Amino acid sequence: MAAADAMRQVLPCKDCAQQRAAGPCEACGYRRRTEALTVEAGMVAAT
């Protein structure tokens, strides 16, 4: 289990390729969340 976790830690960010992000880096995670909230706010405004 520790080996799998160690391998995950060296993976780059899926969006910007920042090294050792283990998935989306912090900046890309915030950008994704902001985009999702913008879409949701648009849906609320449309109703």
Side-chain angles (χ1 to χ4, degrees):
M1 202 67 158
D5 191 43
M7 285 300 296
R8 190 179 74 79
Q9 290 296 323
V10 297
L11 294 175
C13 174
K14 296 176 184 176
D15 293 341
C16 69
Q18 176 183 344
Q19 295 298 314
R20 298 179 185 257
C25 68
E26 186 175 6
C28 290
Y30 286 142
R31 184 180 47 78
R32 283 183 181 184
R33 185 67 181 143
T34 300
E35 289 171 356
L37 289 173
T38 302
V39 169
E40 187 175 335
M43 289 180 185
V44 168
T47 57

